[in-house]
Amino acid sequence: MMSNFKKIKIIKPDDWHVHIRENKILKKVLPYTEMFYQRAIIMPNLKEPIIDCKKALSYRSKIIQSCKLNKKFQPLMICYLTKETSLKELKYGFLKKIFIGSKLYLNNSTTNANTGINKINDIFHILEFMQKIKMPLLIHGEENNPNIDIYDRESKFIDNILEPLRKKFPELKIILEHITTKESVSYIEENNSPYLAGTITPHHLMLNRNNMFFGGIHPNLYCLPILKRNTHQIALRKAISNGNKNFFLGSDSAPHFYKNKINSIGCAGIFNAPSSLLCYVSVFEEMNALKYFEDFCSKNGPNFYNLPINKEIITLVKKPFKVPSKITIGKNFIIPFLSNKVLQWSIL
Ligand code: DOR
Ligand code: ZN
């Protein structure tokens, strides 16, 4: 019977941007990432962020101990930059392969970014050093000035911060994380540089801000950068359909308990790990771009980071898959992206 279903075999993908948190949440959400991905960049914005090698090693070993499905799963660690980050620590961490990059969060730009960078000038010495040792810089690319309209924060970040930064450090390898606007797409396409790439999430490919307010507010669709207008969604979908090597998979799966999302001040983040890869394949299929699907998932990322391409293969089958309604963790639960919805693809 199975043979009646359309199948795609691809090199096992990597997720170049995921939040898996700690303790009970980590144990519960990690299997979803292990199932679909061979490696994943684990974001460092814990309550106590990963700011040095000791914290990264301890977090990495907890993740490895929590692996259930894939003993070869590789968590790739990132250093959360502060203005106190020591160059010695960065160099040691990068050369010893504890860190594969560092992350720039402007102060208060998102979850647990309250120790982020206030003024970009404060870390020029760090960025110069990273350029020298060829350590990639991952960026949450949104302005943090609360007077800037939330829908403009990404494009203003490019004009006010990123472009001047790239002029100053032209050979610093930069990944603009979870891009959401046509401005970011054109910026990456026009630069067409081995020093600039972007990750794209499944939710920004599948949805726009209308979905967040359809018939009432949908707090589970609140994330940062916030969902944009459909013209931006269209630009992202076109970007991945052109086969440009400077775009790759970063799910930004970001679990929060339901009680913290449905709250007078709800947290930003969408937990998409149970379905992220299945969402991407649907979008590529809708865009008639399946020929570029494997590059986006499994090749562009490692090529940009100068890492080997995985050897493992996975098979996706065109067969309905129902996303779980909720993930229970003790007395709490998390509502996954597309909870209870049926997707057209599943993993074999
Ligand atoms: O929506 C988001 N959630 N965006 C981020 O940048 C952080 C993430 C989180 O950690 O919850
Ligand atoms: Zn993120």
Side-chain angles (χ1 to χ4, degrees), residues 11 14 20 60 70 81 148 179 243 248 331 338:
I11 294 169
D14 305 301
I20 55 174
R60 183 165 74 183
N70 176 1
L81 292 179
I148 299 180
I179 59 165
F248 48 85
K331 287 188 190 127
L338 303 177

Side-chain angles (χ1 to χ4, degrees), residues 65-246:
Q65 279 162 27
S66 307
C67 283
K68 286 197 195 115
L69 302 176
N70 176 1
K71 286 289 163 205
K72 287 196 199 146
F73 175 76
Q74 274 183 56
L76 305 172
M77 312 310 287
I78 296 293
C79 182
Y80 180 117
L81 292 179
T82 73
K83 70 173 195 278
E84 276 89 36
T85 303
S86 102
L87 303 186
K88 215 172 127 201
E89 191 75 13
L90 273 191
K91 185 172 183 187
Y92 180 83
F94 189 57
L95 295 184
K96 295 279 177 204
K97 300 189 190 308
I98 300 167
F99 290 127
I100 77 151
S102 301
K103 177 101 187 244
L104 165 64
Y105 290 101
L106 289 184
N107 198 253
N108 289 329
S109 53
T110 188
T111 310
N112 298 334
N114 51 339
T115 51
I117 304 301
N118 276 310
K119 287 203 309 292
I120 192 75
N121 312 36
D122 289 344
I123 58 161
F124 278 171
H125 63 292
I126 302 176
L127 302 179
E128 186 171 21
F129 184 72
M130 287 175 59
Q131 173 174 254
K132 190 168 135 211
I133 64 171
K134 302 189 188 322
M135 182 180 203
L137 175 70
L138 294 77
I139 299 185
H140 181 108
E142 285 193 286
E143 271 277 17
N144 60 347
N145 175 347
N147 296 323
I148 299 180
D149 191 281
I150 187 167
Y151 290 101
D152 298 334
R153 286 183 198 162
E154 185 173 298
S155 57
K156 295 275 186 224
F157 181 90
I158 296 182
D159 298 344
N160 301 341
I161 300 178
L162 185 56
E163 176 56 15
L165 194 90
R166 294 195 57 248
K167 287 231 166 76
K168 206 167 163 61
F169 307 111
E171 296 193 356
L172 176 61
K173 227 181 214 195
I174 292 177
I175 304 96
L176 196 52
E177 297 294 336
H178 41 55
I179 59 165
T180 64
T181 57
K182 60 182 185 328
E183 287 81 5
S184 295
V185 168
S186 339
Y187 188 69
I188 293 171
E189 286 177 346
E190 283 160 18
N191 275 282
N192 188 24
S193 157
Y195 300 109
L196 181 66
T199 57
I200 306 185
T201 77
H203 39 283
H204 291 102
L205 288 168
M206 291 178 85
L207 304 176
N208 61 65
R209 65 191 191 184
N210 274 354
N211 300 101
M212 202 174 29
F213 299 110
F214 181 75
I217 190 159
H218 295 244
N220 288 319
L221 298 182
Y222 172 55
C223 62
L224 287 171
I226 200 158
L227 293 172
K228 303 293 189 304
R229 219 180 236 289
N230 80 322
T231 43
H232 296 287
Q233 181 195 0
I234 290 167
L236 295 172
R237 292 169 71 97
K238 280 198 183 132
I240 61 159
S241 310
N242 291 336
N244 186 315
K245 307 267 181 248
N246 289 329

Side-chain angles (χ1 to χ4, degrees), residues 38-57:
Q38 188 63 17
R39 294 171 289 199
I41 284 191
I42 311 298
M43 284 296 149
N45 63 330
L46 302 184
K47 281 212 175 71
E48 253 192 60
I50 305 300
I51 52 169
D52 57 35
C53 295
K54 191 166 164 234
K55 285 201 163 75
L57 286 171

